[in-house]
């Protein structure tokens, strides 16, 4: 019985690193570049992928959150900054999300949609919104985030259409 209890305790310790109360410690250790051992293998590999993808910037991570999908796959959400200062400004952070066994992590840089768009830029803004939609499906951004983005983009495009018909 004691062995079973000890085994259960040993197996539960790694799970504590991803429990809601453990997020701050994991995020802090990642942000300051210290001990990444507290993260799961999926988390470590995702962060390594992002570090490789943005090798010139040495990303700083924060607000890491890990949850599971209905298919029992892990989803990692968070933010990173490529700023070279020790304490990056909040507006320098971009959102990311990754699903275990999925493609490369999805990265979304929040940008304000301009009041007017050149016709050649429309596809760029539509594709930009697709990343936000992916993050919403992963549960990394609040539900309705993509809808707000899409509504604002459509409003700008409608305004452009009325100006071109004059």
């Amino acid at each position: 019985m004691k062995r079973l209890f000890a085994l259960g305790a040993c197996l539960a310790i790694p799970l504590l690193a991803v429990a809601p109360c453990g997020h701050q410690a994991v995020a802090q250790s990642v942000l300051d570049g210290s001990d990444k051992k507290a993260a799961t293998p999926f988390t470590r590999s995702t962060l390594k992928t992002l570090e490789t993808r943005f090798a010139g910037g040495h990303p700083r991570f924060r607000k890491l959150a890990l949850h599971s999908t209905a298919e029992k796959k892990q989803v990692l959400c968070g933010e990173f900054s490529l700023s070279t200062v020790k304490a990056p400004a909040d507006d320098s952070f971009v959102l990311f999300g990754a699903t275990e066994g999925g493609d490369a992590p999805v990265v979304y840089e929040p940008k304000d949609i301009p009041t007017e768009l050149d016709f050649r830029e429309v596809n760029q803004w539509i594709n930009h919104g697709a990343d936000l939609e992916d993050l919403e499906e992963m549960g990394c951004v609040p539900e309705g985030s993509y809808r707000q983005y899409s509504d604002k983009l459509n409003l700008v495009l409608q305004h452009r259409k009325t100006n071109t018909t004059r």
Side-chain angles (χ1 to χ4, degrees), residues 4 8 15 21 48 59 82 87 104 113 122 130 133 143 145 152 159:
L4 181 61
L15 296 176
C21 61
K48 181 83 169 161
L82 298 175
I113 299 171
V122 172
E133 183 179 26
E143 193 170 321
S145 297
K152 185 170 182 177
H159 177 70

Side-chain angles (χ1 to χ4, degrees), residues 5-106:
F5 179 76
L7 177 63
C10 289
L11 292 175
I13 289 173
L15 296 176
L16 294 176
V18 295
C21 61
H23 284 306
Q24 294 300 328
V26 173
Q28 180 60 37
S29 66
V30 172
L31 183 60
D32 67 9
S34 63
D35 186 23
K36 293 184 186 178
K37 295 176 190 166
T40 66
F42 167 66
T43 301
R44 284 194 306 269
S45 69
T46 301
L47 298 181
K48 181 83 169 161
T49 300
L50 289 168
E51 287 172 352
T52 303
R53 184 170 164 189
F54 299 100
H58 303 292
R60 294 179 177 266
F61 299 95
R62 72 174 190 183
K63 296 185 180 179
L64 299 179
L66 195 62
H67 63 272
S68 297
T69 65
E71 296 85 28
K72 306 289 186 218
K73 293 188 177 199
Q74 291 182 333
V75 176
L76 176 66
C77 304
E79 299 177 356
F80 72 90
S81 173
L82 298 175
S83 177
T84 57
V85 297
K86 191 170 188 170
D90 285 341
D91 63 350
S92 72
F93 283 88
V94 296
L95 305 168
F96 77 90
T99 304
E100 185 177 26
D103 296 330
V106 175

